[in-house]
Amino acid sequence: MKEELATRYEPSTFEQRIYAAWEEGGYFTPVVDRDRPKFSIVIPPPNVTGRLHIGHALVNTLQDIIARWKRMSGFNTLWLPGTDHAGIATQMVVERKLAEQGISRFELGREKFVEKIWEWKEQHSTEIKDQLTRLGASCDWTRERFTLDEGLSRAVRYVFVKLYEDGLIYRGIAMVNWCPRCRTAISDIEVEFRERNGKLYHVDYPVEGTDRKFTVATTRPETMLGDTAVAVHPDDERYKDLIGKYAILPVANRRIPIIGDAILVDPTFGTGVVKVTPSHDKNDYETGKRHDLPQLQVIGEDGRMTDAAGAEFAGLDRFDARKKIVEMLREQGFLVKVEDHLHNIGVHGKCDTDIEPMVSRQWFVKIEPLAQPAIEAVRSGAVQIVPQAWEATYYNWMENIHDWTISRQLWWGHRIPAFHCPNGHTSVSMEDLAHCPECGAAVAQETDVLDTWFSSGLWPFSTLGWQGAGHDKTPELDVFYPTDTLITGFDILFFWVARMIMFGLRFTGKAPFSQVFLNGLVRDEKGDKMSKSKGNVIDPLDVVNEVGADALRFTLAIATSGRDIPLGKSRIAGYSAFVNKIWNASRFALMHIDVELKNAGPIDRDNLRTVERWILSRINSATAEVNKQLSLFRFDEASGALYKFFWHEFCDWYIEMAKPVLLGRHGSDKDRALAKRVLLEIVDRSLRLLHPFMPFVTEEIWQKLGGVEPSIMIAPYPISEEVLDDPEAERLMNAVKAIITTVRNVRAERGFTPKDRFKLYIRVSEPRDANFFRDNAYVLIELARLTEVSVEGQEPEGAHHDIVEGFPIAIEFPEKQVSQEQLDRVRREIEKSVKELESLDVKLANEQFVRNAPPQIVAGAQARQAELRARLEKLQQNQ
RNA sequence: GCGGGGUUAGCUCAGCGGUAGAGCGUCUCCUUUACACGGAGAGGGUCGGGGGUUCGAUCCCCUCACCCCGCACCA
């Protein structure tokens, strides 16, 4: 064959071509066959809001590694891709874009606006697919799904209706988190807390009919316009006589009752008096219900003051109103003092707007009955969370879970299938209604849509065709559900993972996956979060264009231990050097390999030299390691094992050791043929092992090897074979490597150059070891640059003496040329050995140790003691 | 406040009961026909502090300090 690789590694010349060939080959699409072992995984659907960032690159790389590994390991593998409509997020970006043209969504109207979003969606889901393609993601694009697809929407509707019928969805009035910017309710977990420097305002409230007054403290003085009571602790001696009387609300000049409430008021905190604003504070809302207080809404849905706030304030933005009321309080003498106050403000995570607690009518999921089985699923091990530390977080949240606000006052999303009639009846239905089933009046559909996460919670089964009773047995569900592994960021453990488990158990009777791997956050090299404002963002596509997808993927994999991932350009550069190394080592191999893989035949193991037996043993050990670590989601260990094997064992040692034979400087034709066969074997296995991590470069090279399969991605993944393990070859080659290192080391320290050659003496006691060193003397001679190797004679005096891996050696130098540096080094070496020997002596003299420690530890210590004694003696000759 | 995680070489991190590891960076030497995105070698750590358990602790337990991240928050 002799098809050569390009001299330089240039990923841009082949990556896209290769992806197209995979897609054309249909390798991403599994067969729908329940008799084959399957592996299925669903993508965490990216939002259609925009481009993929480095976090997406990470999670999709990890999924692809697992998918490709499983596929090559013989599993009928489905990786199902798709995107999420991402209600608020998408509506926000489109609104912002329209705002640039001076258009508001209200001008357009609901229908037109939603049309605009669909246009946006079409454009971006194509872009997302392109990006995943550039990354090498082996997704089955024939099964791409979108959360607003017809089938998925039917699934959403079914789940809503069923939960309503089961009494687990209800509509009611409650205090919810309101985002005045997005003008919608949001759920508790969408609120993020930001630490902020604020002010604590102390305000006097006079008590009616007396000259007494209370001082209350508040961070939000504008809400006092909505106060409908002042509360003290019922047992507080200072104030209990005032309960039942009235206070005069400053500025508004309203009478408000003074109430006693033991739950709201902590008498030891502050002044022991609390203003009560039932419409704008969660605790006050509860207090209001307890005392039957009126609600006075002074802040509207748009964050502006209402008419109820008074003519002077109506229409003012809530923050402007704050300034104004503070000014008025000051002028009228009610403002006692203003203090700096550090506190946490709840903001809407999507837009950073301060949340306004707001009483409104919303839809909720009664969550506890769903949470209980989901807790049990993790506790029983039906769902395993990796790293396991996240389980505690999961339980903590699930056990203290609150009802889920699922209605959103948005236009983009699944419209709630409820129908209201003028007579106050509400009907929930799978099919659209025109008339009220109770009274026959015309109905109008609920205008609210569902929280995005309501539909993503169904993703693992809705994407496989599930639509509820009567539509819950598609062939795809039968074969691929439940899925096996879920890989996603820990930040959506509650938003998404927990909800999928709850919905999956409730509606399919099965947990939607058996393992969850939660990956960390990608940070910059200093450990800071990546953000546009900091300017430390790495765009995955830029990296792919610069160094190729394989280098990016490998870097992400080797950085993934389960915690946060520090990623810098220099780190990526380091691993792009590794890809380059693979390219060049393969080029070297291809220069010598002269038979195609499919014609190569089995390796003649009986006639292999130790060097070849050694490298086969090493790759076998790396193979076992990679398979094991991947099954544990230790992407760092798996990729690290390959890095170490390929670079530091195969390239640094094996190729150099094989060169004399391959280049015809040593050995017979038969030796050469065997070396070539093993070289082919190692390259083939290495590429297959590496393929899940670097799909493109491995395919490009592997195509030159002439394998049976049309693509490496459907070639079998190597598994370790006991027959390849060779401890004897490892023992001998370890000695050879260590001796070579020692010679190089001593050469450098004595100031010789690599051109200077010496004679090496090795003392061997076993005849077979002597034979080994005689047969492999050429390896030592070439790699350690020696004149000759003697295994017979007595070592000369004045040479450098040492014991390496149990073999006493001596290096004969042309003349005594010992530098001070060398003498110092020998002295330090001896000191170190003496110290270690002393501690071993003490240890072995300790009866407790000998009695209690495991026998193999004691034996090891004794062996080490003997070795050190012998080595010390040798080293002392060098002084 | 409650829960979780962290503190190991200049940097980023593995290891987690039996002699301190990797990558990157630093220093020295080498253009040896796969690769200078290379090769060879070197230096560098009292494993956050203090107790305890153990024959033996970076690793287990307790405690303190500092740093992250959730959750809940007192007006």
Side-chain angles (χ1 to χ4, degrees), chain A residues 198-203 205 216-227 249-252 254 275 277 280 298-299 305 309 313 318-330 334-335 337-339 343:
Chain A
K199 304 275 183 202
L200 191 60
Y201 302 88
H202 297 257
V203 181
Y205 283 26
V216 301
T218 178
T219 55
R220 301 195 57 196
E222 71 278 14
T223 64
M224 63 180 279
L225 296 167
D227 284 1
L249 185 62
V251 177
R254 257 192 302 116
K275 65 194 263 313
T277 322
H280 299 286
V298 292
I299 302 170
M305 306 308 285
F313 293 97
R318 53 189 168 148
F319 298 110
D320 295 332
R322 180 178 304 173
K323 284 181 201 141
K324 181 161 184 174
I325 196 161
V326 168
E327 212 33 63
M328 291 176 77
L329 287 167
R330 182 171 289 137
F334 293 109
L335 190 66
K337 62 175 172 175
V338 181
E339 291 174 322
H343 59 155

Coordinates of all heavy atoms in Angstrom, one line a residue, chain A residues 198-203 205 216-227 249-252 254 275 277 280 298-299 305 309 313 318-330 334-335 337-339 343, chain B residues 75:
Chain A
G198 N -26.6 47.9 50.2 CA -27.9 48.7 50.1 C -27.9 49.6 51.4 O -26.9 49.9 52.0
K199 N -29.1 50.2 51.6 CA -29.3 51.0 52.8 C -30.4 50.5 53.7 O -31.3 49.9 53.2 CB -29.7 52.4 52.4 CG -28.8 53.1 51.4 CD -27.6 53.8 52.0 CE -26.8 54.5 51.0 NZ -25.4 54.7 51.5
L200 N -30.2 50.7 54.9 CA -31.3 50.3 55.9 C -31.9 51.7 56.4 O -31.1 52.4 57.0 CB -30.7 49.5 57.0 CG -31.7 48.8 57.9 CD1 -32.7 47.9 57.1 CD2 -31.0 48.0 59.0
Y201 N -33.1 51.9 56.1 CA -33.8 53.2 56.5 C -34.6 53.0 57.7 O -35.4 52.1 57.8 CB -34.7 53.7 55.4 CG -34.0 53.8 54.0 CD1 -33.9 52.8 53.1 CD2 -33.5 55.1 53.6 CE1 -33.3 52.9 51.9 CE2 -32.8 55.2 52.4 CZ -32.7 54.1 51.5 OH -32.1 54.3 50.3
H202 N -34.3 53.8 58.7 CA -35.1 53.8 60.0 C -36.1 54.9 59.9 O -35.8 56.0 59.8 CB -34.2 53.9 61.2 CG -33.2 52.8 61.3 ND1 -33.3 51.8 62.2 CD2 -32.0 52.6 60.5 CE1 -32.2 51.0 62.0 NE2 -31.5 51.4 61.0
V203 N -37.4 54.5 60.1 CA -38.5 55.4 59.9 C -39.4 55.4 61.1 O -39.7 54.3 61.7 CB -39.3 55.1 58.6 CG1 -40.5 56.1 58.4 CG2 -38.4 55.0 57.4
Y205 N -42.9 55.7 63.0 CA -44.4 55.6 62.7 C -45.1 56.0 64.0 O -45.0 55.4 65.1 CB -44.8 54.1 62.5 CG -44.5 53.5 61.1 CD1 -43.5 54.0 60.3 CD2 -45.2 52.5 60.6 CE1 -43.2 53.5 59.1 CE2 -45.0 51.9 59.4 CZ -44.0 52.4 58.6 OH -43.7 51.9 57.4
V216 N -39.3 51.7 62.7 CA -39.1 50.5 62.0 C -38.0 50.7 61.0 O -37.7 51.8 60.6 CB -40.4 50.1 61.2 CG1 -41.6 50.0 62.2 CG2 -40.7 51.1 60.1
A217 N -37.4 49.6 60.7 CA -36.3 49.6 59.7 C -36.7 48.9 58.4 O -37.4 47.9 58.5 CB -35.0 49.0 60.3
T218 N -36.3 49.4 57.3 CA -36.6 48.7 56.1 C -35.6 49.0 55.0 O -34.9 50.1 55.0 CB -38.0 49.2 55.5 OG1 -38.2 48.6 54.3 CG2 -38.0 50.7 55.3
T219 N -35.4 48.0 54.1 CA -34.5 48.3 53.0 C -35.2 48.8 51.8 O -34.6 49.2 50.8 CB -33.8 46.9 52.6 OG1 -34.7 45.9 52.4 CG2 -32.9 46.5 53.7
R220 N -36.6 48.7 51.9 CA -37.4 49.0 50.7 C -38.5 50.0 51.1 O -39.6 49.7 51.2 CB -38.0 47.8 50.1 CG -37.0 46.8 49.6 CD -37.7 45.8 48.7 NE -38.3 46.5 47.6 CZ -39.2 45.9 46.8 NH1 -39.7 44.7 47.0 NH2 -39.7 46.7 45.8
P221 N -38.1 51.3 51.4 CA -39.1 52.2 51.9 C -40.3 52.5 51.0 O -41.4 52.8 51.5 CB -38.3 53.5 52.1 CG -37.0 53.3 51.3 CD -36.8 51.9 51.3
E222 N -40.1 52.3 49.7 CA -41.2 52.5 48.8 C -42.4 51.5 49.1 O -43.6 51.8 48.8 CB -40.8 52.4 47.3 CG -40.5 51.0 46.9 CD -39.1 50.5 47.2 OE1 -38.4 51.1 48.0 OE2 -38.6 49.5 46.7
T223 N -42.1 50.4 49.7 CA -43.2 49.4 50.0 C -44.0 49.9 51.2 O -45.1 49.4 51.3 CB -42.6 48.0 50.3 OG1 -41.9 48.1 51.5 CG2 -41.8 47.5 49.2
M224 N -43.5 50.8 52.0 CA -44.4 51.3 53.1 C -45.7 51.9 52.7 O -46.7 51.9 53.4 CB -43.6 52.2 54.0 CG -43.2 53.5 53.4 SD -42.3 54.5 54.6 CE -43.7 55.2 55.6
L225 N -45.7 52.3 51.4 CA -47.0 52.9 50.9 C -48.0 51.8 50.9 O -49.2 52.1 50.9 CB -46.8 53.4 49.5 CG -45.8 54.7 49.4 CD1 -45.4 54.9 48.0 CD2 -46.5 55.9 50.1
G226 N -47.6 50.6 50.9 CA -48.5 49.4 50.9 C -48.7 48.8 52.2 O -49.3 47.7 52.4
D227 N -48.2 49.4 53.3 CA -48.3 48.8 54.6 C -49.7 48.8 55.1 O -50.5 49.8 54.9 CB -47.5 49.6 55.6 CG -46.0 49.4 55.5 OD1 -45.6 48.6 54.7 OD2 -45.3 50.0 56.3
L249 N -49.4 55.9 59.3 CA -48.4 55.6 58.3 C -47.9 57.0 57.8 O -48.7 57.7 57.2 CB -49.0 54.8 57.2 CG -48.0 54.3 56.1 CD1 -46.9 53.4 56.7 CD2 -48.8 53.6 55.0
P250 N -46.6 57.3 57.9 CA -46.2 58.6 57.5 C -46.4 58.8 55.9 O -46.5 57.8 55.2 CB -44.7 58.6 57.8 CG -44.5 57.5 58.8 CD -45.6 56.5 58.5
V251 N -46.3 60.0 55.5 CA -46.5 60.3 54.1 C -47.9 60.0 53.6 O -48.6 60.9 53.1 CB -45.4 59.7 53.2 CG1 -45.7 60.1 51.7 CG2 -44.0 60.2 53.6
A252 N -48.3 58.7 53.7 CA -49.6 58.3 53.2 C -50.7 58.8 54.2 O -51.8 59.0 53.7 CB -49.7 56.8 53.1
R254 N -52.2 57.2 56.6 CA -53.2 56.2 56.8 C -53.1 55.6 58.1 O -52.0 55.5 58.7 CB -53.0 55.1 55.7 CG -54.0 55.2 54.5 CD -53.9 54.0 53.7 NE -52.7 53.6 53.1 CZ -52.0 52.5 53.4 NH1 -52.5 51.6 54.3 NH2 -50.9 52.2 52.9
K275 N -42.8 46.5 60.0 CA -43.9 47.0 59.1 C -44.4 45.8 58.3 O -43.7 44.9 58.0 CB -43.4 48.1 58.2 CG -42.4 47.7 57.2 CD -41.7 48.9 56.6 CE -42.3 49.3 55.2 NZ -42.5 48.2 54.3
T277 N -46.3 44.5 54.9 CA -46.7 44.9 53.6 C -47.2 43.6 52.9 O -46.4 43.0 52.1 CB -45.6 45.5 52.8 OG1 -44.8 46.3 53.6 CG2 -46.0 46.3 51.6
H280 N -46.2 42.8 49.1 CA -44.9 42.9 48.5 C -43.8 42.3 49.3 O -42.6 42.6 49.1 CB -44.6 44.4 48.2 CG -45.5 45.0 47.3 ND1 -45.5 44.7 45.9 CD2 -46.6 45.9 47.5 CE1 -46.5 45.4 45.3 NE2 -47.2 46.1 46.3
V298 N -49.0 48.3 45.7 CA -48.6 49.6 45.3 C -47.5 49.6 44.1 O -47.1 50.6 43.6 CB -48.0 50.4 46.5 CG1 -49.1 50.7 47.5 CG2 -46.9 49.6 47.2
I299 N -47.1 48.4 43.8 CA -46.1 48.2 42.7 C -46.8 47.3 41.7 O -47.3 46.2 42.0 CB -44.8 47.6 43.1 CG1 -44.2 48.5 44.2 CG2 -43.8 47.5 42.0 CD1 -42.9 47.9 44.9
M305 N -45.1 52.2 40.2 CA -46.0 52.4 41.3 C -47.4 52.5 40.7 O -47.7 53.1 39.7 CB -45.7 53.6 42.1 CG -44.3 53.7 42.6 SD -43.7 52.2 43.5 CE -44.5 52.4 45.1
A309 N -50.6 53.7 45.3 CA -49.5 54.3 46.0 C -49.7 55.8 46.2 O -48.9 56.4 46.9 CB -48.2 54.1 45.2
F313 N -47.1 59.3 43.5 CA -46.1 58.2 43.2 C -46.6 57.4 41.9 O -45.8 56.8 41.3 CB -46.0 57.2 44.4 CG -45.3 57.8 45.5 CD1 -46.0 58.4 46.6 CD2 -43.9 57.9 45.6 CE1 -45.4 59.0 47.7 CE2 -43.3 58.5 46.6 CZ -44.0 59.0 47.7
R318 N -40.2 51.9 40.5 CA -40.1 51.6 42.0 C -38.8 52.1 42.6 O -38.8 52.5 43.8 CB -40.1 50.1 42.2 CG -39.2 49.2 41.4 CD -39.4 47.7 41.5 NE -38.7 47.0 40.4 CZ -38.1 45.8 40.6 NH1 -38.3 45.1 41.7 NH2 -37.5 45.3 39.6
F319 N -37.7 52.2 41.8 CA -36.5 52.8 42.4 C -36.5 54.3 42.5 O -35.9 54.9 43.5 CB -35.3 52.3 41.6 CG -35.1 50.8 41.6 CD1 -35.4 50.0 40.5 CD2 -34.8 50.1 42.8 CE1 -35.3 48.7 40.5 CE2 -34.7 48.7 42.8 CZ -35.0 48.0 41.7
D320 N -37.2 54.9 41.6 CA -37.4 56.4 41.7 C -38.3 56.7 42.8 O -38.1 57.7 43.5 CB -37.9 56.9 40.4 CG -37.0 56.8 39.2 OD1 -35.7 56.7 39.5 OD2 -37.4 56.6 38.1
A321 N -39.3 55.8 43.0 CA -40.2 56.0 44.1 C -39.5 55.9 45.4 O -39.8 56.7 46.4 CB -41.3 55.0 44.0
R322 N -38.5 55.1 45.5 CA -37.7 54.9 46.7 C -37.0 56.2 47.0 O -37.1 56.7 48.2 CB -36.7 53.8 46.6 CG -35.9 53.6 47.8 CD -34.9 52.5 47.7 NE -35.6 51.2 47.3 CZ -35.0 50.1 47.0 NH1 -33.7 50.0 47.0 NH2 -35.7 49.0 46.7
K323 N -36.4 56.8 46.1 CA -35.7 58.1 46.3 C -36.7 59.2 46.8 O -36.4 59.9 47.7 CB -35.0 58.6 45.0 CG -33.8 57.8 44.6 CD -33.1 58.3 43.3 CE -32.2 57.3 42.7 NZ -32.3 57.2 41.2
K324 N -37.8 59.2 46.1 CA -38.8 60.2 46.4 C -39.3 60.1 47.8 O -39.4 61.1 48.5 CB -39.9 60.2 45.4 CG -40.9 61.3 45.6 CD -41.8 61.5 44.4 CE -42.7 62.7 44.7 NZ -43.4 63.0 43.4
I325 N -39.6 58.9 48.2 CA -40.2 58.7 49.5 C -39.2 59.0 50.6 O -39.5 59.6 51.7 CB -41.0 57.4 49.7 CG1 -41.9 57.5 50.9 CG2 -40.0 56.2 49.9 CD1 -42.9 56.4 51.0
V326 N -38.0 58.6 50.4 CA -36.9 58.9 51.3 C -36.8 60.4 51.5 O -36.7 60.9 52.6 CB -35.6 58.3 50.9 CG1 -34.4 58.8 51.7 CG2 -35.6 56.8 51.0
E327 N -36.9 61.1 50.4 CA -36.8 62.6 50.5 C -37.9 63.2 51.3 O -37.8 64.0 52.1 CB -36.8 63.1 49.0 CG -36.0 64.4 48.8 CD -34.8 64.5 49.7 OE1 -33.8 63.6 49.6 OE2 -34.7 65.3 50.6
M328 N -39.1 62.6 51.0 CA -40.3 63.2 51.7 C -40.3 62.8 53.2 O -40.6 63.7 54.0 CB -41.6 62.6 51.1 CG -41.8 63.1 49.7 SD -43.3 62.4 48.9 CE -44.6 63.3 49.7
L329 N -39.8 61.6 53.5 CA -39.7 61.3 54.9 C -38.7 62.2 55.6 O -38.9 62.6 56.8 CB -39.2 59.8 55.1 CG -40.3 58.7 54.7 CD1 -39.6 57.4 54.6 CD2 -41.4 58.7 55.7
R330 N -37.7 62.5 54.9 CA -36.6 63.3 55.5 C -37.2 64.7 55.8 O -37.1 65.3 56.9 CB -35.4 63.4 54.6 CG -34.3 64.3 55.2 CD -33.0 64.1 54.3 NE -32.4 62.9 54.5 CZ -31.9 62.1 53.4 NH1 -32.0 62.6 52.2 NH2 -31.3 61.0 53.7
F334 N -39.6 62.2 59.5 CA -39.8 60.8 60.0 C -38.6 59.9 59.8 O -38.5 58.8 60.3 CB -41.0 60.2 59.2 CG -42.3 60.8 59.5 CD1 -42.9 61.6 58.5 CD2 -42.9 60.6 60.7 CE1 -44.2 62.2 58.8 CE2 -44.2 61.2 61.0 CZ -44.8 62.0 60.0
L335 N -37.6 60.4 59.0 CA -36.5 59.6 58.7 C -35.5 59.7 59.9 O -34.9 60.8 60.1 CB -35.8 60.0 57.4 CG -34.7 59.1 56.9 CD1 -35.3 57.7 56.5 CD2 -34.1 59.7 55.7
K337 N -32.7 57.6 60.7 CA -31.3 57.4 60.2 C -31.2 56.5 59.0 O -32.2 55.7 58.7 CB -30.4 57.0 61.3 CG -30.7 55.6 61.9 CD -29.7 55.1 62.9 CE -30.2 53.8 63.6 NZ -29.3 53.2 64.5
V338 N -30.1 56.6 58.3 CA -29.9 55.7 57.1 C -28.5 55.0 57.3 O -27.5 55.7 57.6 CB -29.9 56.5 55.8 CG1 -29.7 55.5 54.6 CG2 -31.2 57.3 55.7
E339 N -28.5 53.7 57.3 CA -27.3 52.9 57.5 C -26.9 52.2 56.2 O -27.8 51.7 55.5 CB -27.4 51.9 58.6 CG -27.6 52.5 60.0 CD -27.9 51.4 61.0 OE1 -28.7 50.5 60.7 OE2 -27.4 51.5 62.1
H343 N -26.7 43.2 51.9 CA -27.7 42.2 51.9 C -27.8 41.5 50.6 O -27.2 41.9 49.6 CB -29.0 42.7 52.4 CG -29.6 43.8 51.5 ND1 -30.9 44.1 51.4 CD2 -29.0 44.7 50.7 CE1 -31.1 45.1 50.6 NE2 -29.9 45.5 50.2
Chain B
rA75 P -32.7 42.0 56.6 OP1 -32.1 42.0 55.3 OP2 -31.8 42.0 57.8 O5' -33.7 43.2 56.7 C5' -34.5 43.3 57.7 C4' -36.0 43.4 57.3 O4' -36.6 42.6 58.4 C3' -36.4 44.8 57.5 O3' -36.8 45.3 56.2 C2' -37.5 44.8 58.5 O2' -38.8 45.0 57.9 C1' -37.5 43.4 59.1 N9 -37.1 43.4 60.5 C8 -36.1 44.2 61.2 N7 -36.0 43.9 62.4 C5 -37.0 43.0 62.7 C6 -37.4 42.3 63.8 N6 -36.9 42.5 65.0 N1 -38.4 41.4 63.7 C2 -39.0 41.2 62.5 N3 -38.6 41.7 61.4 C4 -37.7 42.6 61.5

